[in-house]
Amino acid sequence: MSLAAYCVICCRRIGTSIPPLKSITYWRDIRNIIKFTGSLILGGSLFLTYEILALKKSLTLDTQVVEREKMKSYIYLQTVSLDKRENYDTFSTVDVEDHECAVWLLLRKSQSGDRAARLQAVQEMSDYQYRIIAQACDLRTLIGLARSKESDLRFFLPPPPLPSLKEDSSIEEELRQLLASLPQTELDECIQYFTSLALSESSQSLAAQKGGLWCFGGNGLPYAESFGEVPSATVEMFCLEALVKHSEISTHCDKIEANGGLQLLQRLYQLHKDCPKVQRNIMRIIGNMALNEHLHSTIVRSGWVSILAEAMKSQRIMEASHAARTLANLDRETMQEKYQDGVYVLHPQYRTSQPIKADVLFIHGLMGAAFKTWRQQDTEQVLTEKILEDEGRYTTCWPKTWLARDCPALRIISVEYDTSLSDWRTRCPMERKSIAFRSNELLRKLRAAGVGDRPVIWVSHSMGGLLVKKMLLEASKKPEMSAVINNTRGIIFYSVPHHGSHLAEYSVNIRYLLFPSLEVKELSKDSPALKTLQDDFLEFAKDKNFQVLNFVETLPTYIGSMIKLHVVPVESADLGIGDLIPVDVDHLNICKPKKKDAFLYQRTLQFICETLAKDLEN
């Protein structure tokens, strides 16, 4: 209104003004009108623009919220063929979103006249909330659930359908093709050996030519009892062993994944549910591949996490431990350590809020294994109690069950490495590994697993004790390994031949028959390497505050049905440091307590608790 009035006044003024000033006043008033009109138009435009943008923002919907609301109504259903779908009564979908149809299908199915259909519908409805979460989980959440002790297996979707095998092909042939696609140059001799063996031989000729290749034992010295037997060995097993070796090389893991190895191994795993040895080798391959973080998403998408989560809940300690290693390597949310092939965490295998204050490491000996070496002693009474599957009465790995319960603040690790008594029985004929070579290999793997970051106690049996001594000596020479030395609190030796073994002498005396392996030769009393190791360790340990406990057998060990041998005599088991305790058992059972309240276990537990008392209190 003010602007209009001003315009009228200006016009009257122009009309009544005197003639000489008429043109000057006219243009002055026109400029004033333009200024006010422009300001009004610009201000109004800005105001209208602001109001429009504010209104648009208030009316914009968050699409993620909408998707989440849709997910609440989404349910995982088993695939139903078109023929079966035709049998369902039709229902109106006028007011039903597409993603809600599955829910109403289940409700309709639960009222079916077919009892089997009703039961299936109720079962699927009971899994409804789990399936919602399973399909919404990202990689980290899914792995976290798999490593959570109380998680329900219904949180994990079944693995996706596997691709069909090619026509006129078999799993054996697919494995051969996978192996052939991997690089064959610049490999160590053992990888070349296993690869060429798997690619060139038939399963029948393998069984005839390489009997005993897969005899891991765990009892120690089992070879004499079955010296004339030929264990079954298939091309699939040799292919898997070659793939285990290849999977230790990062670039080869990429090739395995790119050529469909994850799906092929999953098919083989499902086919051999009754063969733990095959499944363990497959788990080793997947665990090695999981060391490469760029492959994690592919491993998860291929459905392996659901398989691993189920294996983690297995009553078989070996199966659960292999799965635990793989999942730990996949879990980069709570884990910094990486567990390479042969390094297994026995406790804790799940995520835990319990602070871990120290490590206890178990190193087996000649012909031993990461699990079976540390089982409970086998007696006739115990063997009958195995059927009850009561870990309180019998355990296949006492560090996993007894020690973990008595000392929950410990991380318990067991390692595994290949050994042989005779070159007749070696897994790889080209493999000649000395104690020095093995100790460096194990030390590197253990450091990658975080050993040395907290207080450590070493527990060893037989040749494993020599490896511990050599590892500590090697660590003392490398600045990057100084933490291992600084945090070592104590060592337990179970019948360790510090000064040689009668077994080595016996094997050397009949060397033309047994062809003793390099490990056995190094255990002989006149071995320069053994004497140097003992002298160097005593010199090294005298300035350290290591606590040492030595156990030694007093009974001879039966090797087969004809040979009786005192493997490690008392004088050889005397390190010269710490207590030496004779025990009335043989060499195989010196590390296998009869029961939880037996002297062997209770004295071991006492040593661990006393040595780590200050660390466990802090």
Side-chain angles (χ1 to χ4, degrees), residues 121-342:
V122 172
Q123 177 62 40
E124 291 178 2
M125 291 172 69
S126 68
D127 297 342
Y128 175 67
Q129 297 294 336
Y130 291 100
R131 294 305 187 189
I132 292 175
I133 296 174
Q135 291 172 102
C137 281
D138 61 3
L139 181 149
R140 291 178 298 180
T141 306
L142 197 62
I143 294 171
L145 284 171
R147 296 196 70 236
S148 300
K149 190 170 185 178
E150 303 301 329
S151 64
D152 196 295
L153 291 178
R154 289 175 292 180
F155 279 126
F156 308 96
L157 295 177
L162 296 172
S164 302
L165 289 175
K166 299 176 182 177
E167 292 185 9
D168 300 327
S169 182
S170 63
I171 291 184
E172 179 182 312
E173 185 59 33
E174 294 281 343
L175 282 172
R176 288 175 181 270
Q177 292 178 8
L178 179 61
L179 266 181
S181 69
L182 301 178
Q184 305 298 323
T185 57
E186 300 181 2
L187 303 176
D188 67 39
E189 291 181 330
C190 279
I191 298 181
Q192 293 178 2
Y193 169 75
F194 282 117
T195 303
S196 63
L197 200 62
L199 293 176
S200 62
E201 300 290 346
S202 69
S203 58
Q204 292 180 346
S205 63
L206 287 176
Q209 295 176 22
K210 295 300 298 179
L213 193 67
W214 299 94
C215 184
F216 291 99
N219 299 331
L221 321 183
Y223 75 104
E225 296 182 0
S226 59
F227 199 76
E229 298 176 8
V230 181
S232 62
T234 66
V235 171
E236 289 178 358
M237 292 291 285
F238 280 94
C239 286
L240 289 175
E241 183 64 23
L243 286 172
V244 168
K245 297 293 184 183
H246 279 281
S247 64
E248 294 176 359
I249 305 172
S250 179
T251 54
H252 292 208
C253 290
D254 295 339
K255 292 283 187 180
I256 293 173
E257 183 274 324
N259 294 326
L262 289 171
Q263 291 77 17
L264 180 59
L265 292 172
Q266 192 176 124
R267 185 188 302 277
L268 195 62
Y269 185 91
Q270 301 291 0
L271 285 176
H272 289 278
K273 288 186 176 181
D274 58 341
C275 186
K277 196 176 293 185
V278 170
Q279 291 192 330
R280 287 197 297 270
N281 275 327
I282 294 174
M283 287 281 193
R284 288 174 67 189
I285 298 168
I286 304 300
N288 290 344
M289 295 180 69
L291 292 169
N292 305 282
E293 293 187 33
H294 65 279
L295 294 177
H296 286 186
S297 59
T298 309
I299 294 173
V300 173
R301 286 198 306 270
S302 64
W304 271 104
V305 174
S306 62
I307 297 173
L308 295 169
E310 183 178 1
M312 278 276 283
K313 298 183 181 297
S314 171
Q315 295 299 315
R316 294 182 294 189
I317 290 177
M318 280 189 281
E319 181 181 355
S321 298
H322 279 275
R325 170 188 169 245
T326 304
L327 286 171
N329 286 337
L330 288 171
D331 186 6
R332 297 299 92 192
E333 188 82 354
T334 62
M335 304 289 294
Q336 287 75 46
E337 305 88 355
K338 291 188 175 182
Y339 298 99
Q340 299 186 29
D341 190 33

